[in-house]
């Protein structure tokens, strides 16, 4: 752990060299424009891969970048970011080679992880036909990662906060995948307006 405190000391020096008011400004408050919901995977570093600085992105990470409807933590993050910080973009960022998604594709009993992974199994069930038609296991796995991102975007759009923020200021939800093999960020170009239209038919909250 010692090297971490060394790193921190160097980082403070570096920041102060670049801008003597860096921490003074940082302590004044935050006004991020983006809420990023990603996987806890140690290889998918939110800020580093996006090249953003402190204060630019509000971050929530959990296993397999999930947004379960009843998860108090994820729902509180969305509520705070959308209502109070007034972010204009919500990003769900999945990644290929996701251990959480892989575990959900197997039938192993993983204890406390079972109910969490069941949310991903639900995604599989919803897209059963498309996924089972993919013969190559690696490709099927990658596709489930993408479909999981899409379904979590839908869960975000289902929330009252996001529907209201869309009406009031045109908030947008984005689905991305990080490719560990290349380091590239891929925009899945989720059709936000179409999803919203479908969602509003059933989940509309005035
Ligand atoms: Co992951």
């Amino acid at each position: 752990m010692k090297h971490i405190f060394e790193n921190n000391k160097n980082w403070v020096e570096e920041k102060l060299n670049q801008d003597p008011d860096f921490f003074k400004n940082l302590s004044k408050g935050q006004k991020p424009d983006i809420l990023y919901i990603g996987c806890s995977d140690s290889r998918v570093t939110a800020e580093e891969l996006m090249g953003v600085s402190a204060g630019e992105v509000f971050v929530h990470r959990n296993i397999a970048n999930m947004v379960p409807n009843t998860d108090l933590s994820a729902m509180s993050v969305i509520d705070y970011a959308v209502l109070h910080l007034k972010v204009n973009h919500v990003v769900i960022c999945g990644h290929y080679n996701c251990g959480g998604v892989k575990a959900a594709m197997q039938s192993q009993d993983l204890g406390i992880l079972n109910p969490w992974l069941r949310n991903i199994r639900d995604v599989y069930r919803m897209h059963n036909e498309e996924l089972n038609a993919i013969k190559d296991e690696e490709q099927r796995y990658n596709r489930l990662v993408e479909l999981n991102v899409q379904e979590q975007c839908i869960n975000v759009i289902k929330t009252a906060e996001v529907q209201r923020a869309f009406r009031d200021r045109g908030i947008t939800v984005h689905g991305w995948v990080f490719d560990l093999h290349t380091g590239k960020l891929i925009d899945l170009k989720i059709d936000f307006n179409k999803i919203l239209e479908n969602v509003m038919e059933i989940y509309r909250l005035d």
Side-chain angles (χ1 to χ4, degrees), residues 25-195:
N25 291 333
L26 210 57
S27 62
K28 280 182 189 159
Q30 58 169 336
K31 189 75 193 75
D33 198 35
I34 302 167
L35 162 61
Y36 168 101
I37 301 173
C39 184
S40 296
D41 193 302
S42 59
R43 299 164 296 178
V44 189
T45 55
E47 286 92 344
E48 197 185 333
L49 74 87
M50 289 189 282
V52 295
S53 314
E56 285 188 70
V57 180
F58 199 65
V59 174
H60 179 69
R61 290 169 71 179
N62 61 32
I63 293 174
N65 41 271
M66 304 300 289
V67 186
N69 300 311
T70 52
D71 180 55
L72 193 56
S73 179
M75 286 301 142
S76 303
V77 165
I78 292 171
D79 189 276
Y80 186 69
V82 173
L83 269 183
H84 301 279
L85 296 174
K86 299 205 179 330
V87 298
N88 287 308
H89 301 271
V90 180
V91 170
I92 302 287
C93 185
H95 69 102
Y96 297 132
N97 302 84
C98 181
V101 173
K102 182 134 217 170
M105 284 177 81
Q106 292 151 359
S107 54
Q108 204 188 342
D109 182 352
L110 291 161
I112 189 74
L113 277 173
N114 290 338
W116 190 258
L117 297 177
R118 199 170 298 139
N119 296 306
I120 310 172
R121 292 192 175 118
D122 288 341
V123 174
Y124 198 110
R125 179 175 50 80
M126 279 187 264
H127 299 274
N128 209 2
E129 267 177 46
E130 181 188 342
L131 287 163
N132 285 344
I134 303 170
K135 292 285 162 259
D136 183 76
E137 203 182 324
E138 185 79 19
Q139 272 178 24
R140 194 161 70 237
Y141 173 27
N142 286 347
R143 185 62 187 142
L144 180 56
V145 165
E146 295 170 359
L147 290 169
N148 184 45
V149 167
Q150 189 184 301
E151 290 301 329
Q152 302 319 311
C153 286
I154 294 171
N155 283 345
V156 170
I157 298 168
K158 281 194 291 197
T159 64
E161 297 86 351
V162 170
Q163 289 182 31
R164 268 186 221 115
F166 174 74
R167 188 188 56 199
D168 297 346
R169 61 178 196 273
I171 198 173
T172 317
V173 178
H174 311 262
W176 296 349
V177 172
F178 177 66
D179 187 348
L180 282 166
H181 295 283
T182 61
K184 280 192 181 144
L185 203 50
I186 300 154
D187 185 354
L188 294 177
K189 297 200 166 62
I190 277 163
D191 192 341
F192 174 75
N193 290 313
K194 192 160 169 257
I195 293 173

